[in-house]
Amino acid sequence: MRCRQPGHTPLLLLALILLFVSTDVCVAQSEPDPAGSLMADTARVTVAPPTSVIVTDHKYDNGDALELSWVPSIDDRIPGGKVVRYQVYRSVNEGEYLPIQELLPGSNFFLDESLHRDSVYSYYVTAYSRNDSAMSVATAPVSPQREWLHVDRAWLFVIALIISLAVFYFIRAARKGEDLFIRKIAGLEAVDEAIGRATEMGRPILYIPGILDMDDVQTLAAITILGRVARTVADYEIQVRMPVSRSLVMTAARETIKTAYQTAGRPDSYSDDMVQYVTDEQFGYVAAVDGIMVREKPATVFLLGAFFAESLILAETGNSINAIQIAGTARPAQLPFFIAACDFTLIGEELFAASAYLSGEPKQLGSLKGQDVGKFIAMVVIIIGVIAATLAQAWEVPFMQQVYDALTFVFSTQ
Amino acid sequence: MEHLAVWIAALLTLGIISFLYKDNAWYKLSEAIFVGISAGYWFVVLFWDNVHGKFWTGVFPPEQYDAAGNVITEAPDYMLWVGAALGILMLMRLIPKIGWISRWPLAFIVGSTSGLYLINYFSSNMMRQVQGTIMPLFGMWPTDPTTGETVFQALPTYDIVGNVVILVGVFSGLVYFFFSKEHRGVFGATAKVGIFFLMVTFGASFGYTVMSRMSLLIGRVDFLFGTWLGLIK
Amino acid sequence: MSTRTWELLVVAAVLIVSTIVYLGKVGGWIGGVSFSPAVSIIVIILIFLSLVWILVRTLRGSLVDRRIVFLFVGLAVVLPFFMSITQKIKISPEVQQLYDALEALPPGSKVLVSFDYDPPSAPELQPMAESFLRYCLRSDLKVIIIGLWPQGPQQADLALQIALEDPEIQSKSPQYGVDYVNLGFQAGNEFVIQRMGANIESMFPRDYFGAAYRDLPLVRNVKNFSNIDYSFNLSAGYPGTQEWVQVAVDRYGLRLGGGNTAVQAPMMYPYLNAGQLVGLLGGMNGAAEFELLTGVTGKGTKFMLSQSFAHMIVIAFVIIGNAAFFASGRRKPLEQGK
């Protein structure tokens, strides 16, 4: 409030009174406020603008995003910085600039999405203090671009293509009847022996195909092996019990066992009760299977497929009833329990190898051989890479540095 | 009601634990209750979360109101009908005469998940891991930023041993899982080293899992002696 | 008396005693039990001597019934609840890394927490969840909760209730929709993560309580992972941290920390070593270490003594079992030589 003094006498008194009052108020205002807030609010907290604002196309998208980066305001980079927020402004097709995004202090990047390829965009960024602001220089207009190929992933594509072609090649070779060698897998030789034991003891076989559904590759492998086991079971005329935790697995398993019994010439011996749905709930399923094991005391237990926390419970219960147990899973976390508690364990990929070996199906055999090509590539690259890295880093061999750089570039993923 | 719920939970817990002594009627009753309730529970959850929550509210979106009280009408998502149709075709598996129809939606699921997994697993579990395994074994020549000179810096012994162990473990593990060659001679010996590494890994994993199982038991004990009996301070 | 009669008597005794204790708890005339340090040490010595006796018997050829092993494990888990002994906890590098990543986040940063577990895994993961949410709300980090498992959001709700009871957090009066949100569950596993990379709202159009995504101030401007400053995944299986790493980290560059059950934790170390994970809490141990770093004791710390005792009992029986194995191997040639 300002203090004024008018000139005419009749008003002088009034003015003097007003002056007295306003002076009091002015004095009150000029005295330091104990809290300091009034003076602090009115003092302008100036900030420097952000600089080097650059807008670039966001790579490898459908042409609907732009990347905005900037150097934060110098007042944001010092301790106790004055910047409280940034605001990004955007203009579409050289129209009015509108605020689109508020960002925290320290921000230096913004991804603007849901844009149109046919439009041009320009931006500026404003730094705000408590009561001031400073805007950057606006960028030149830019349009987002669409990329059809993620070029940074070209090597991922090349290596995936090599392995895929190897798989196709071996599948074709298997279909032509070529003999594709697969090494012996220890657990498989025990399958017939285990079924024979059940026959001698006159007790059933229990087959657990894991707890995942038919879309899981381990369950598919387990059902494939079931086909082989069921044929032997049908030949020996012993019972198979198969509690499952997924309804689709139940129907697939019933089909498989029924076909096996028909092939063995014993269709009347088959019964749908051999495969029963229990529950989807993990530990409910385990409780039921444990009960079956303890009450019916199967001579042989197959635990093949995808298992989780229930693996140890199942394996230990089977161990406690002195059953022969043949297990196999590709889940590394469950393998220790099977190895400790079961007689034979198919470790990881051996489950799929067993499925391919027993079924003799060209697709499975070819896939297995194709994967071996991938493993071979990995082995060779690792050895060459480590030698190159060691020679380059420890003995400064220049060519080796190039080899090392090339290999790490090829195998890095974006 | 709360008292009843705690007592039922406690008695069922003790019933299941009694299996450690031997199979008995109390365990059988607890098992039957658990199996039955879990089947029913999952049916309800899957129905309300998926069939109703995702499909029904997607194709027949309910009226919504924003903060100002205005009606927001969401457009129905007609693509969900495709998913529903595939789901019904999947259920044809239960009818033997037309069970073959279920192979189509199953092929769709297996194909799409394979395509997704191919990139994810290939990138994260093969490429990045191979890149991570390529490393110098002994030392490096970093450039001094002030002088621009390179000076040899040997890796600490601990790191050298670690790098060698990682290299030998990865390589021999890959050899073990190589199915195209019989495990004989040098190849067989390397595969044996691989299985040794695998067993050490499984032992460590077993130890971690013992911790996990004990944690679950501790949680149950906390419930029995804490929530139920109130004996824990 | 026959074995069956004894068994029925034991069951009756358990039911009668538990009823009396329960009535005492409700009536207030039975409170918590706690052993003095001296009694605790006596109990430990007695257990140790029992184990030594079992070892001696085993070496002499008397194998121990598996139910004795169960009894000792049970005692090892139950008794520490009543002991007044504290256990030193050492911080591991991966837990420190996660904590440092959180500490570096400025107030107002958005943290996405994915609850990918159900009640069976709650003893391990719930202490982590409570501790993590408590830290975030204390540090003014904005929490966005989702679940890829159906019961995940319910677990999140329970953890939030515990975290919101913290006096420091209560003094800040956090508001739902402004400081934290629970977007609920979405089926689809890794497909959900992939879609979130482009548009989170398309996967979570409404929150756990039915409010529209756009009506929630906290997430209104959050389009996808590029607007998320840090993410934490509590995982008990599939879908879990592995899927988050493969999709969100490798494809979208999301910064991710993992909270896993001890079963899963070993499988996460390759991702940690490759830099795909920024920090890892493994099992109850990880929860206890994180609680120590945040300075608030929770269930993780409370249960660690039982955890340690159980491990020691397991180690003891591994030694006893191996002793039995080698003793039986030596005894056979001796018996054959007689």
Side-chain angles (χ1 to χ4, degrees):
Chain A
M1 183 177 187
R2 281 197 244 160
C3 312
R4 298 189 200 178
Q5 293 191 14
H8 293 287
T9 308
L11 297 170
L12 184 62
L13 273 173
L14 181 61
L16 281 172
I17 293 166
L18 283 172
L19 177 63
F20 175 78
V21 170
S22 59
T23 307
D24 274 347
V25 175
C26 278
V27 163
Q29 284 179 342
S30 64
E31 276 171 3
D33 179 10
S37 56
L38 284 173
M39 288 300 291
D41 272 343
T42 54
R44 220 173 172 75
V45 181
T46 54
V47 282
T51 54
S52 305
V53 181
I54 299 170
V55 61
T56 51
D57 176 47
H58 182 58
K59 282 165 75 174
Y60 310 126
D61 65 350
N62 195 29
D64 55 6
L66 290 170
E67 292 179 0
L68 192 67
S69 63
W70 61 90
V71 175
S73 164
I74 199 164
D75 292 310
D76 193 17
R77 286 177 267 151
I78 53 172
K82 296 181 254 181
V83 173
V84 298
R85 65 187 174 93
Y86 289 101
Q87 185 75 48
V88 177
Y89 290 83
R90 179 182 68 197
S91 154
V92 184
N93 295 325
E94 295 177 4
E96 191 191 343
Y97 279 91
L98 295 171
I100 57 166
Q101 183 72 33
E102 190 179 300
L103 297 164
L104 293 170
S107 302
N108 62 349
F109 179 83
F110 172 65
L111 181 68
D112 192 12
E113 294 176 289
S114 305
L115 304 176
H116 297 281
R117 277 196 310 279
D118 304 325
S119 302
V120 286
Y121 300 89
S122 52
Y123 300 84
Y124 67 81
V125 182
T126 302
Y128 285 86
S129 69
R130 217 175 39 242
N131 55 14
D132 191 25
S133 64
M135 59 176 266
S136 68
V137 173
T139 64
V142 168
S143 288
Q145 304 294 315
R146 165 197 273 170
E147 285 84 22
W148 288 99
L149 297 175
H150 196 315
V151 175
D152 287 352
R153 289 186 168 188
W155 282 107
L156 176 66
F157 171 72
V158 166
I159 292 170
L161 188 66
I162 291 171
I163 296 173
S164 304
L165 287 173
V167 169
F168 288 135
Y169 170 77
F170 283 111
I171 289 174
R172 208 154 157 258
R175 282 199 177 129
K176 278 187 190 170
E178 279 179 38
D179 185 27
L180 297 180
F181 173 78
I182 294 182
R183 69 167 171 84
K184 262 190 255 181
I185 298 161
L188 287 185
E189 287 155 9
V191 168
D192 286 335
E193 194 187 302
I195 298 172
R197 182 177 185 258
T199 314
E200 283 166 16
M201 296 174 78
R203 299 222 297 256
I205 282 171
L206 189 66
Y207 198 98
I208 317 283
I211 65 163
L212 289 185
D213 216 329
M214 285 302 291
D215 61 342
D216 186 81
V217 66
Q218 293 177 78
T219 311
L220 290 171
I223 298 296
T224 308
I225 298 172
L226 172 68
R228 169 72 161 72
V229 168
R231 272 201 297 278
T232 314
V233 162
D235 283 338
Y236 288 4
E237 289 190 61
I238 45 172
Q239 268 226 328
V240 62
R241 284 275 272 136
M242 190 169 168
V244 298
S245 72
R246 296 282 191 267
S247 51
L248 283 180
V249 175
M250 177 186 75
T251 44
R254 280 181 176 169
E255 267 179 41
T256 306
I257 297 175
K258 192 174 180 182
T259 308
Y261 272 76
Q262 282 169 349
T263 311
R266 295 197 169 92
D268 295 333
S269 301
Y270 167 76
S271 162
D272 274 351
D273 290 339
M274 288 178 180
V275 185
Q276 285 178 320
Y277 169 77
V278 179
T279 174
D280 272 53
E281 212 285 330
Q282 183 185 18
F283 290 105
Y285 175 68
V286 165
V289 174
D290 276 357
I292 293 170
M293 280 188 189
V294 166
R295 281 163 228 145
E296 299 185 27
K297 292 196 172 22
T300 303
V301 176
F302 288 94
L303 296 155
L304 299 167
F307 293 88
F308 293 84
E310 72 286 354
S311 57
L312 184 57
I313 303 171
L314 292 173
E316 266 304 306
T317 310
N319 194 28
S320 72
I321 59 167
N322 294 317
I324 280 192
Q325 298 195 97
I326 298 175
T329 183
R331 296 201 67 84
Q334 314 311 326
L335 282 166
F337 315 126
F338 286 150
I339 287 170
C342 298
D343 298 280
F344 299 95
T345 306
L346 302 171
I347 300 173
E349 214 187 336
E350 287 182 335
L351 174 67
F352 307 120
S355 170
Y357 190 86
L358 290 175
S359 67
E361 205 197 320
K363 276 183 231 154
Q364 293 195 37
L365 280 169
S367 303
L368 194 69
K369 298 290 283 183
Q371 282 167 64
D372 274 356
V373 169
K375 281 172 229 160
F376 183 75
I377 291 172
M379 282 191 263
V380 166
V381 166
I382 286 170
I383 292 299
I384 293 174
V386 169
I387 292 171
T390 306
L391 289 174
Q393 299 282 319
W395 283 283
E396 278 197 308
V397 179
F399 173 66
M400 286 297 152
Q401 183 67 46
Q402 289 172 348
V403 171
Y404 172 58
D405 290 339
L407 285 174
T408 44
F409 173 73
V410 164
F411 281 85
S412 65
T413 55
Q414 300 295 321
Chain B
M1 233 10 223
E2 197 197 309
H3 296 294
L4 184 65
V6 167
W7 266 92
I8 290 173
L11 290 175
L12 290 175
T13 303
L14 291 175
I16 297 289
I17 290 175
S18 70
F19 187 73
L20 294 174
Y21 177 65
K22 66 178 181 186
D23 191 20
N24 58 82
W26 194 359
Y27 169 78
K28 284 182 194 148
L29 177 67
S30 305
E31 172 204 319
I33 291 171
F34 186 26
V35 169
I37 286 182
S38 63
Y41 175 83
W42 276 108
F43 179 79
V44 171
V45 164
L46 289 168
F47 176 80
W48 285 107
D49 278 350
N50 291 332
V51 177
H52 179 266
K54 304 292 175 274
F55 171 70
W56 194 257
T57 55
V59 295
F60 301 111
E63 262 185 9
Q64 296 282 320
Y65 297 91
D66 65 14
N70 304 316
V71 173
I72 307 169
T73 42
E74 283 179 27
D77 187 354
Y78 295 111
M79 278 303 286
L80 289 170
W81 283 109
V82 176
L86 288 173
I88 290 167
L89 291 179
M90 188 83 98
L91 291 173
M92 295 298 109
R93 187 123 207 171
L94 302 171
I95 303 169
K97 276 193 182 154
I98 50 173
W100 59 270
I101 294 174
S102 66
R103 289 199 182 125
W104 287 96
L106 201 59
F108 176 80
I109 291 171
V110 172
S112 54
T113 49
S114 297
L116 182 69
Y117 282 8
L118 179 71
I119 301 302
N120 291 344
Y121 274 86
F122 204 70
S123 169
S124 303
N125 287 25
M126 193 209 165
M127 304 282 277
R128 284 291 288 262
Q129 300 303 322
V130 167
Q131 187 201 17
T133 313
I134 297 172
M135 58 193 140
L137 290 179
F138 303 118
M140 44 192 87
W141 289 82
T143 307
D144 190 326
T146 47
T147 62
E149 285 177 1
T150 53
V151 180
F152 181 70
Q153 197 176 63
L155 286 174
T157 313
Y158 179 80
D159 282 353
I160 294 175
V161 171
N163 290 350
V164 171
V165 165
I166 288 173
L167 172 67
V168 171
V170 171
F171 187 79
S172 58
L174 283 169
V175 166
Y176 177 79
F177 286 108
F178 196 75
F179 293 100
S180 299
K181 191 168 164 31
E182 198 66 70
H183 285 175
R184 271 196 215 119
V186 173
F187 200 80
T190 312
K192 276 209 174 83
V193 171
I195 197 75
F196 173 77
F197 270 89
L198 284 169
M199 291 303 152
V200 169
T201 310
F202 293 148
S205 185
F206 201 124
Y208 241 122
T209 307
V210 166
M211 179 163 92
S212 188
R213 304 291 178 249
M214 291 302 165
S215 303
L216 302 183
L217 177 61
I218 290 165
R220 281 289 89 197
V221 166
D222 183 48
F223 166 76
L224 288 173
F225 287 89
T227 311
W228 182 40
L229 297 177
L231 292 175
I232 297 175
K233 267 191 183 170
Chain C
M1 265 197 276
S2 68
T3 310
R4 189 161 174 77
T5 312
W6 275 113
E7 288 166 0
L8 288 169
L9 277 173
V10 166
V11 171
V14 163
L15 288 173
I16 291 166
V17 168
S18 55
T19 308
I20 293 169
V21 172
Y22 188 83
L23 289 170
K25 178 193 103 172
V26 170
W29 37 272
I30 290 181
V33 172
S34 177
F35 300 159
S36 65
V39 170
S40 305
I41 290 169
I42 291 169
V43 165
I44 293 169
I45 291 170
L46 284 173
I47 291 177
F48 176 73
L49 290 173
S50 314
L51 288 169
V52 170
W53 177 69
I54 290 173
L55 176 64
V56 168
R57 273 176 55 100
T58 307
L59 289 169
R60 284 186 188 163
S62 307
L63 294 178
V64 63
D65 190 325
R66 59 174 57 216
R67 288 175 290 192
I68 301 292
V69 178
F70 300 150
L71 179 65
F72 270 85
V73 169
L75 289 173
V77 166
V78 170
L79 292 175
F81 276 99
F82 307 109
M83 292 183 186
S84 7
I85 302 174
T86 50
Q87 184 192 336
K88 266 191 182 172
I89 296 169
K90 200 178 152 203
I91 312 291
S92 31
E94 54 272 17
V95 176
Q96 186 70 54
Q97 187 184 10
L98 192 142
Y99 180 77
D100 290 343
L102 282 177
E103 277 264 279
L105 293 173
S109 299
K110 294 187 178 62
V111 177
L112 179 71
V113 187
S114 181
F115 279 73
D116 301 340
Y117 66 99
D118 55 4
S121 307
E124 282 186 276
L125 297 176
Q126 201 70 4
M128 263 183 227
E130 289 166 10
S131 189
F132 189 87
L133 291 177
R134 192 185 293 116
Y135 177 84
C136 286
L137 292 171
R138 273 183 165 202
S139 309
D140 297 319
L141 301 175
K142 308 299 180 187
V143 178
I144 303 169
I145 292 167
I146 65 161
L148 299 181
W149 287 39
Q151 293 111 329
Q154 294 161 4
Q155 297 301 125
D157 211 33
L158 293 170
L160 267 174
Q161 281 174 28
I162 301 291
L164 289 170
E165 284 170 9
D166 183 81
E168 192 180 319
I169 294 171
Q170 280 184 342
S171 69
K172 294 179 189 227
S173 304
Q175 282 181 54
Y176 183 86
V178 176
D179 299 295
Y180 62 97
V181 292
N182 186 341
L183 296 177
F185 159 72
Q186 176 61 275
N189 305 329
E190 55 267 84
F191 291 107
V192 176
I193 305 172
Q194 187 164 358
R195 284 293 301 147
M196 286 172 70
N199 188 339
I200 295 176
E201 187 183 356
S202 66
M203 286 288 100
F204 298 95
R206 277 173 286 281
D207 76 346
Y208 188 49
F209 306 102
Y213 188 91
R214 279 165 223 172
D215 288 343
L216 300 164
L218 174 56
V219 293
R220 197 179 285 148
N221 292 325
V222 175
K223 286 193 182 130
N224 50 43
F225 291 142
S226 62
N227 304 121
I228 301 291
D229 299 294
Y230 187 79
S231 183
F232 183 60
N233 173 240
L234 292 146
S235 161
Y238 171 82
T241 308
Q242 182 166 288
E243 286 67 40
W244 277 93
V245 167
Q246 287 169 350
V247 182
V249 175
D250 284 351
R251 282 202 192 182
Y252 296 102
L254 182 69
R255 290 188 81 220
L256 178 74
N260 296 90
T261 57
V263 177
Q264 278 212 311
M267 293 194 296
M268 299 301 136
Y269 279 93
Y271 297 129
L272 192 68
N273 293 335
Q276 290 159 299
L277 272 179
V278 181
L280 176 68
L281 306 185
M284 198 177 277
N285 199 41
E289 291 174 30
F290 190 75
E291 284 170 7
L292 182 64
L293 282 169
T294 58
V296 180
T297 308
K299 281 188 182 156
T301 313
K302 184 178 156 194
F303 295 161
M304 274 316 290
L305 191 63
S306 291
Q307 188 88 265
S308 302
F309 268 68
H311 284 207
M312 285 191 272
I313 291 291
V314 168
I315 291 168
F317 277 105
V318 167
I319 294 169
I320 291 169
N322 278 284
F325 177 75
F326 287 115
S328 68
R330 269 196 325 190
R331 203 171 299 111
K332 278 195 189 127
L334 282 176
E335 286 167 352
Q336 283 164 5
K338 276 186 186 166

